[in-house]
Amino acid sequence: MSLDLTPVHRNLHTKVTFLGLEFEDLILVLALAALMNLLAHFVSGNAHVFGIPLNVFMEFIVPALAVPFLILFKYGRPRAISRISSARSSLRKPVRT
């Protein structure tokens, strides 16, 4: 009785993306959308940006604009740079004088 062998390809350097964003960046955009949704409820109904009511602009346009900015400014940088930079800022030691 012989064993059947199946090759397994393990490419750990493959970048997993959805809509051009890594998982951490997608979570960041969704959190920004939720925050803008909450803040949009407190905006006056008379304010407009480019002819669009400000609450609609905050809810939909701001998170939609965050996607290309993340893609542009992360180009050529290591994976999870947003997570690394936020972790570094929270781990900084206070300067003693």
Side-chain angles (χ1 to χ4, degrees), residues 11-90:
N11 189 356
L12 299 177
H13 299 291
T14 302
K15 185 166 56 168
V16 179
T17 60
F18 180 72
L19 297 175
L21 296 175
E22 296 175 3
F23 177 72
E24 295 88 1
D25 299 332
L26 191 61
I27 296 296
L28 181 72
V29 170
L30 291 175
L32 178 66
L35 179 68
M36 289 296 118
N37 189 12
L38 288 174
L39 292 176
H41 290 290
F42 300 109
V43 174
S44 119
N46 298 331
H48 289 77
V49 175
F50 304 120
I52 302 171
L54 186 58
N55 58 353
V56 173
F57 183 82
M58 288 175 64
E59 287 182 42
F60 300 109
I61 306 300
V62 171
L65 289 176
V67 172
F69 279 108
L70 277 172
I71 292 171
L72 285 175
F73 290 117
K74 285 187 64 175
Y75 181 74
R77 294 198 170 72
R79 291 185 64 199
I81 190 75
S82 56
R83 184 178 57 188
I84 292 169
S85 62
S86 65
R88 281 186 186 161
S89 64
S90 65

